Each structure stands twice: as C-alpha cells, then as structure tokens.
Amino acid sequence: MKPNTTLPELPVKTPEGLSPSLHETAAAAVEDLQERYREATAFLREHFDAVMRGAPPEGRYRAYYPQLSITTSSYAKVDSRLSFGHVAEPGRYGATITRPDLFGNYLHQQISLLLENHNVPIVVETSDTPIPLHFAMDAGRHVEGAIEDHLDRPLRDLFDVPDLNTTNDNVVNGIGVIDGEGLRALAPFSAQRVDYSLARLAHYTATAPEHFQNHVLFTNYQFYMDEFVTYAEAMIRDEASGYVALVAPGNHMLTRNGESGTPASKMPQMPTYHLTRKDGSGITMVNIGVGPSNAKTITDHIAVLRPHVWLMLGHCAGLRNSQSLGDYVLAHAYVREDHVLDDDLPVWVPIPALAEVQVALEEAVEEVTNLEGYELKKIMRTGTVATIDNRNWELRDQSGPVHRLSQSRAIALDMESATIAANGFRFRVPYGTLLCVSDKPLHGELKLPGMATQFYKTQVAQHLLIGIRTMESLREMPLERLHSRKLRSFEETAFL
C-alpha cells in the first residue's frame, strides 16, 4: 500500500488590504494603481525569496491585481466622431491592471478621456484576480521548473501560477464583454492576458517590452532588418532626428553617447530592433520570418501594448503579367487562405482598408520615388492581396488556385499580410500593407538563387524608407483620426 502523501491545506496569506479609492484626476488614479501593484508584487517576491532561503511556509501566498472601474447612470452625450474614450450606456465597467509603470502614459490618456466624457470618479481597488508568481518577478528573474525540488510540496500549493482558464481573448473576440457579476469590460485585455504576452514578447524578440514603440513595421526578410539598422544608426547620430536610441536583441542599446548592454549571443525566433523616441513614438521593426503562424503569434502579443499602427513590408509574388520585379503592391483587400485566424475571426468578416493608412502609404511612395498621379501606376498597383499557408502552392494543380485568385482579382500573393491585417482588425490596431514583387511564378520568374540579387540591392532600401516615411507621417496624425471607427464593433471597450 502506498503511503498517504496528502499534505494539509495551508491558510491563505495576503498583503494588508487597501480600501477602494475614488479619484477625480488621471494622475491620482495611475499613482494609486502603481502603489497597489508594487505592494502586491513585492509581497510575492519577498515570500518566494524567503521560502527559497529555507524559511518554512506560513501559508499560501496570494496577492491580487489592482482594478480600475467606473460607474455611470446616464447615457453620456459624447463627440460621435470619437471611437474610444467613452462607454456606450449606463452600467459598471472595469478592468484588471498590470504593469502600470509600463502603461502609465496609456492609462493616463484613457482615464483622462473617461473623466472628461462622463464626469464621474474613477474607482481604484484590489481585484479578486490573483497575480501569478511568474509574472511578479523582476526583469531577468524567472521561476525555474526545478524549484519544486527545494520545497516539500508543489509550487502551486504555495503560490498562484498562470491560469489559462482565465487568460483568453474573449473581450476582443466579442464574447466576454460582460462577466457573471454584470461588470462590463473597460479594456480589451485582462491583466493576466497582458502579462502572458509581455513574457512571450521577451522570449520571441529578445528585447524587453519597455522598448517597443507605438509604430511597428513587420517584414519577412532579414535584408530589411539590416537596412533598418543602418538607417537607425544614422538617425542616432543626427541630433535633429528626435530618435534617441537603437535597441537590438539582448537589449543592447546604442545612443549618441555610446553603447550599453550585451548583444544577444544568438538571434531569437523573431529578431526585433527599436528605433526609440523619448515619448515612445519611434519605430519598432520585427522580422517575423515566413508564414501566417508566425504573423499571428507576434501580433497576438504586440497587440497588448496598444500600438497606434502596424504595417507589413515584405516580398510577394506578382500575379499579373504587367507587373515587374520591384513593383509595389498597396493592399486594399485581402483573400484569407492563411487559416490561422479562422476560429477567432471567421473568413466572412471583411477586412477594410483604412483610408488614413492608405493615403499615408501612397504619399510616401510618391515622396520616395518622385512619381505621382498617373506616373505612379508604372511601379505600383492597388488591389487585392491573397495570403496562403502553403509556400509551395505552385507545385500543386494550379487550375483551382489560379481560378480563385483570378476571380478575387488578386494582384499579389504572400504568406503573412492578410494575417497581420486581420489581427489588426481583430485587436483594433490600425494596419496597412505595402509589398514588393520579388517573383512571378505564373509567368516563369521564380524566386531562385541569383535571380533576385539585383532586386534586393536596389529595392530594399527604397521600400524600407517608404515604410519609415509612412510611420513618420502617421505619427503626426491625431489619435482620434488614426484610430478609425471602422475598427469598432457594436459593443466596445472605452480603452483603445
């Protein structure tokens, strides 16, 4: 007979509770959130360190995320042009909050709009959602899996761990706007969902979330990353540029005053570089590699940072005989055969082009190429981009795929653009796509060694510069214009 290994249940130990507080200014509310979060995470770290030093556990250690809420009893009359900053109808709205230090500016902005539009106080209190120990650790510290070897009972008995049952995208997918107690969602993500993505970002990009900027470029080729680094280094040397640092994988930082940190010993799965500005309005560039799975993975996580816009700059197959290698494709519609988002965003959901982004992209092409109007048609087409999940689609019977592409009026094909646009639509992040034709498989111009060498040399720098100019143009646009109402559903969160 096996010995009885059941351990007695431990009493729950929590920090001293703070009473709910009412705030009439965003600054006071954010400060309160930061204080509660600091106290809660310090409690977990201190007791974890004590247990690891050999102190007998006094109980199960638990601390909770802070919570922000607002209650309104009237239908506020707000500026109907705004897509965010207000709630739709009377009720109580709330959100659990994590990392108020990282999201301080964002929280200040969103809370200020609520106070302005509804004229009721903000309530800051302790939620009933535990903070997992893993997410309470300081940067660079981790809870190792072997830690249980030092304890006489499982880690889960002493500390809360990440819970996938409560880490989901229900709010952004439109199925979790109201919880079981009638609390409506105030923000698109819960605190634990945000913490989960912050951890994944550090893993996939080898850079800390603090370095991500509000304007994000995605590419599927390292050539673009090399060119971005060259451009960024020049901007750092130019004091008038407004850029202050280039952060590389490993959190290696280059400024006008020199370098700090150590470059990553090996490249992460999705190498990421940040050309930063003091207010976070710089440019982050991510090499997502090839395929819709990567595209979905990284946008799932960057979305929690609430960027103002993301763009896809990559290579594509030109589908029209009139196209030439090096021509540009400005996507205004997408055929979604990537399949990675089918469960979250059905394919019958249209992904609209956003006028503000489209105009900025076209104007940037005109500026960089010195072509405009009818002359621009020589090198750029606006049309439908098809995204597929089979890189070697050309090897299959082409009659079916080619017929579908023709019926859709597609002018280009790739493996990432529709995924990035669709996830932008899903997460309410403005999006756009400008591709460059690198092969024409239907017309005998395959992407083979040597065929694209000159193309890479001449087009990558120009293409990247167009993307950067687009971002710099959008940076000057007021948020209420950039964050289009097209991205908002019937019942939306007040926070962006």
Side-chain angles (χ1 to χ4, degrees), residues 13-313:
K13 300 290 185 179
T14 63
E16 276 189 42
L18 294 175
S19 300
S21 301
L22 299 179
H23 299 287
E24 297 183 353
T25 68
V30 172
E31 183 178 353
D32 192 355
L33 289 167
Q34 292 174 339
E35 179 183 350
R36 291 170 187 265
Y37 181 79
R38 281 194 300 267
E39 180 178 298
T41 53
F43 173 87
L44 293 175
R45 290 193 300 270
E46 289 168 5
H47 286 285
F48 176 73
D49 289 343
V51 169
M52 293 311 299
R53 289 193 300 268
E58 300 173 350
R60 178 183 180 85
Y61 301 106
R62 172 171 288 170
Y64 300 90
Y65 288 108
Q67 178 171 286
L68 180 75
S69 65
I70 181 175
T71 302
T72 177
S73 59
S74 67
Y75 290 89
K77 186 173 178 59
V78 298
D79 189 340
S80 63
R81 296 170 296 180
L82 296 177
S83 66
F84 61 95
H86 54 83
V87 298
E89 58 186 39
R92 182 169 177 256
Y93 299 77
T96 51
I97 302 297
T98 188
R99 293 297 305 278
D101 56 329
L102 175 63
F103 292 99
N105 291 338
Y106 167 79
L107 290 168
H108 191 281
Q109 177 196 56
Q110 302 303 305
I111 294 170
S112 295
L113 289 170
L114 283 179
L115 291 169
E116 178 182 340
N117 287 322
H118 295 285
N119 197 31
V120 294
I122 299 294
V123 178
V124 174
E125 58 192 323
T126 300
S127 75
D128 58 3
T129 302
I131 301 176
L133 173 66
H134 302 68
F135 298 152
M137 292 292 104
D138 291 324
R141 288 193 63 192
H142 307 285
V143 178
E144 300 294 341
I147 212 72
E148 293 181 14
D149 295 341
H150 300 276
L151 307 176
D152 62 356
R153 58 194 308 149
L155 177 69
R156 288 170 179 259
D157 278 3
L158 302 183
F159 298 93
D160 291 290
V161 297
D163 181 6
L164 291 180
N165 290 322
T166 58
T167 306
N168 53 56
D169 285 327
N170 285 350
V171 175
V172 292
N173 287 346
I175 57 176
V177 179
I178 305 177
D179 70 11
E181 298 181 357
L183 182 70
R184 298 169 181 263
L186 188 62
F189 299 105
S190 67
Q192 190 166 180
R193 170 65 170 84
V194 173
D195 272 335
Y196 169 78
S197 282
L198 296 181
R200 302 314 293 163
L201 281 176
H203 171 72
Y204 285 119
T205 72
T207 57
E210 289 84 349
H211 299 306
F212 277 79
Q213 301 295 289
N214 285 327
H215 307 88
V216 183
L217 292 174
F218 297 108
T219 189
N220 51 10
Y221 275 95
Q222 184 61 32
F223 298 99
Y224 286 83
M225 307 303 294
D226 297 339
E227 193 65 32
F228 183 72
V229 170
T230 299
Y231 175 88
E233 290 173 345
M235 290 299 99
I236 297 305
R237 292 191 295 269
D238 179 5
E239 294 187 12
S241 71
Y243 296 107
V244 297
L246 172 64
V247 181
N251 297 311
H252 175 255
M253 184 177 297
L254 172 68
T255 69
R256 278 185 284 276
N257 298 322
E259 301 181 42
S260 61
T262 304
S265 58
K266 60 180 181 179
M267 282 291 104
Q269 183 173 343
M270 301 187 202
T272 300
Y273 293 80
H274 312 276
L275 180 54
T276 69
R277 293 167 66 96
K278 290 182 179 179
D279 61 357
S281 65
I283 300 172
T284 287
M285 190 159 195
V286 187
N287 181 358
I288 61 176
V290 177
S293 180
N294 278 0
K296 179 183 183 296
T297 295
I298 197 63
T299 49
D300 278 350
H301 300 313
I302 291 179
V304 306
L305 298 174
R306 309 315 295 147
H308 295 323
V309 61
W310 60 43
L311 301 178
M312 176 64 190
L313 300 180

